[in-house]
Amino acid sequence: MLWLIRLAALSAAIAIAAGAFGAHRFAGKEADWLRTGGFYQLVHAVAVLALARSAASAPLWTLLGGSALFAATLYAMAFGAPRWLGAVTPVGGAVMIAAWLWIAWSAR
């Protein structure tokens, strides 16, 4: 469980750094990608931290992974990666949705 907490905290730190970097270094869609990725990553990192003591650790890992995939593709495009990565971003979103549904199911 400590690894999950450490990764969630690291994820939150990366999200804040990405948002700050986007606000001060970029303009236009690159800044929007960094803000959007940072927002989703931060929200989900905090959610994982809040739920880390629960018995449902597998869906939390899924939530953290989905938010990382979602944000990483946006960050990569902001820094010049090929735009086709934008087709991968919704996969991370779908994984986050699935993780939230899994958490809801686990709480039944």
Side-chain angles (χ1 to χ4, degrees), residues 54-56 59 99-108:
S54 74
W100 280 114
L101 293 172
W102 191 356
I103 291 167
W105 180 259
S106 297
R108 61 176 167 76

Side-chain angles (χ1 to χ4, degrees), residues 3-108:
W3 276 102
L4 184 61
I5 293 169
R6 287 181 184 133
L7 284 176
L10 180 61
S11 182
I14 291 168
I16 293 166
F21 197 78
H24 297 287
R25 174 74 166 92
F26 289 99
K29 64 183 163 190
E30 289 83 6
D32 289 340
W33 289 335
L34 288 167
R35 277 193 296 271
T36 300
F39 175 75
Y40 277 84
Q41 186 176 8
L42 181 60
V43 166
H44 288 84
V46 171
V48 169
L49 286 171
L51 298 170
R53 299 279 182 210
S54 74
S57 66
L60 296 182
W61 283 101
T62 305
L63 186 63
L64 199 56
S67 66
L69 179 61
F70 180 87
T73 56
L74 292 174
Y75 299 160
M77 289 190 307
F79 285 102
R83 298 286 191 252
W84 63 260
L85 273 177
V88 179
T89 306
V91 174
V95 171
M96 287 187 287
I97 292 167
W100 280 114
L101 293 172
W102 191 356
I103 291 167
W105 180 259
S106 297
R108 61 176 167 76

